Amino acid sequence: MEECKKRVFSAIQPTGSITIGNYIGAVRNMVAMQDEYDCLYAVADLHSLTVDIAPAALRKNTLELAAILMAAGIDPEKSVFFVQSQVHEHAELGWVLNCYAQFGEARRMTQFKDKSAKAPENVNVGLFDYPVLMAADILLYMTDYVPVGKDQVQHLELSRTIAERFNSRNSPTFKVPEAILPKFGQKVRSLSDPTAKMSKSDSDPNGYVLVLDRPEDIARKFKRAVTDSDSKIIYAPDEKPGISNLLTIYSAFAGVDMDESVKRFEGRDYAYLKTTVADAVIEGLRPIREGYEKLMADKDGLLKTLAVGAEKASYIARRTMSKVWRKLGCVRP
């Protein structure tokens, strides 16, 4: 008898094209986990409502991200791949879990503080409640593992706390999820400020590279990448953050370890390093761009694929919610 695979859940907000930092740090790992785990992956459009976004932009970003993820290797035949809002149980369980999350716990979430400071004109309740909906996303599918970065560890801990509290009050219901660390991929830094994380919110567009950037734009951005006054090409993040960042990116796209990356640039200058890294990124992204264009050319097919994924996710979600309603004493039809 075949052993059941452990279940993984992960979701990405649709903010348009993703950076190569997102690709290296998250998407590649999502793709790699498909053969080892029972994976559910979602485009988290409900989470995007915490910011002021036009309906047309949200729809465009949702389909764009879905196409990028599929082009990058998320296979709807291997994984359950869907759009969050198409499974209404996410919102339902989110409300239930609000009643099991303490105000003080939510208030301590550092991301709420950071995002509130960046957009003080729109500190809405949804932004404050974001981690509870995230808990619902995870617990809805009886998730075993959640791939997380450092900035999401606190949210996963809240999910675990809520699950344990619900189970304690109502008898065991939810699995208590655990974090799973990426198999590969270090944090990618800004090309214009290698002390900061690569992000689309960077005020300098030369600081980030998008998966859908044109080859000529990618080459230009790497040509302008900040290095240092030295001439040595070594991996030393504290001493040479710019060079180390370029080596990290090259290692990821060339498919070699850091020692091999450094060896390949021994005796070379910074101009050669930048050009070679740019070429590796352009070539690595080529099949993703081509796959994306093909998927977006058939939007009806893309929507159908997402609808099938949503129905698969809904089947699991309905079973969970049936158990939750029964435990709570809610009268259901």
Side-chain angles (χ1 to χ4, degrees):
M1 183 176 178
E2 187 178 348
E3 185 179 351
C4 291
K5 293 180 178 180
K6 294 291 186 180
R7 181 167 289 166
V8 165
F9 176 86
S10 187
I12 300 180
Q13 281 196 58
T15 56
S17 182
I18 60 175
T19 70
I20 59 171
N22 302 132
Y23 172 68
I24 293 172
V27 177
R28 287 200 317 159
N29 286 296
M30 291 168 67
V31 172
M33 287 188 286
Q34 292 180 115
D35 292 323
E36 187 176 351
Y37 299 99
D38 174 20
C39 297
L40 287 97
Y41 295 137
V43 178
D45 56 340
L46 292 178
H47 288 289
S48 294
L49 300 178
T50 60
V51 299
D52 188 12
I53 183 169
L58 178 58
R59 178 178 174 81
K60 175 181 178 294
N61 289 351
T62 298
L63 293 179
E64 185 175 284
L65 177 59
I68 290 172
L69 293 177
M70 288 175 60
I74 298 299
D75 186 349
E77 296 297 320
K78 292 181 178 181
S79 304
V80 177
F81 182 52
F82 63 102
V83 175
Q84 181 190 27
S85 65
Q86 292 185 10
V87 181
H88 60 80
E89 287 84 0
H90 283 262
E92 291 180 6
L93 184 56
W95 169 251
V96 170
L97 298 186
N98 274 331
C99 302
Y100 287 80
Q102 298 302 303
F103 183 83
E105 293 169 340
R107 187 172 54 188
R108 286 193 293 271
M109 297 293 107
T110 56
Q111 280 206 18
F112 171 70
K113 297 174 184 176
D114 294 342
K115 291 180 179 180
S116 298
K118 291 178 181 178
E121 74 286 351
N122 188 30
V123 184
N124 56 70
V125 174
L127 184 63
F128 180 78
D129 199 36
Y130 178 104
V132 181
L133 179 57
M134 184 181 291
D137 298 337
I138 297 166
L139 301 182
L140 189 59
Y141 299 105
M142 300 299 171
T143 302
D144 294 292
Y145 297 117
V146 181
V148 293
K150 289 183 179 179
D151 57 344
Q152 295 292 347
V153 170
Q154 192 182 35
H155 288 170
L156 180 59
E157 285 303 314
L158 180 62
S159 300
R160 288 171 54 83
T161 297
I162 293 173
E164 290 169 345
R165 185 174 292 138
F166 189 99
N167 290 347
S168 176
R169 293 183 187 176
N170 301 285
S171 76
T173 305
F174 297 114
K175 283 189 176 181
V176 180
E178 297 179 16
I180 186 170
L181 300 176
K183 287 186 175 180
F184 45 75
Q186 298 185 33
K187 184 177 289 186
V188 175
R189 301 288 179 174
S190 166
L191 297 182
S192 57
D193 178 11
T195 63
K197 180 181 176 181
M198 181 178 285
S199 171
K200 284 198 303 183
S201 62
D202 193 330
S203 59
D204 183 357
N206 290 310
Y208 57 85
V209 174
L210 300 177
V211 167
L212 298 181
D213 272 348
R214 297 178 303 174
E216 56 267 33
D217 292 331
I218 296 174
R220 173 178 52 78
K221 289 180 180 182
F222 276 102
K223 186 176 181 180
R224 297 180 179 179
V226 170
T227 51
D228 55 49
S229 57
D230 197 351
S231 61
K232 294 180 180 178
I233 299 178
I234 59 173
Y235 183 73
D238 294 332
E239 301 169 27
K240 301 172 75 67
I243 295 301
S244 298
N245 188 43
L246 292 175
L247 288 170
T248 295
I249 295 170
Y250 178 78
S251 179
F253 279 94
V256 297
D257 62 28
M258 187 55 67
D259 289 340
E260 178 62 24
S261 294
V262 173
K263 185 178 180 181
R264 290 186 182 186
F265 295 105
E266 191 174 335
R268 298 287 189 169
D269 59 20
Y270 287 172
Y272 178 81
L273 171 66
K274 292 179 180 182
T275 300
T276 305
V277 175
D279 289 344
V281 172
I282 291 168
E283 212 38 53
L285 294 179
R286 189 183 306 280
I288 298 176
R289 287 193 300 270
E290 292 173 352
Y292 165 82
E293 290 170 1
K294 184 176 180 180
L295 287 163
M296 290 299 286
D298 180 19
K299 287 186 180 178
D300 287 342
L302 177 58
L303 288 168
K304 184 177 179 180
T305 297
L306 293 171
V308 171
E311 184 51 44
K312 292 178 181 178
S314 294
Y315 174 76
I316 303 170
R318 286 194 298 269
R319 294 179 65 183
T320 299
M321 288 309 300
S322 177
K323 186 185 298 185
V324 168
W325 296 133
R326 187 172 67 253
K327 294 287 184 73
L328 293 173
C330 293
V331 178
R332 306 292 291 174

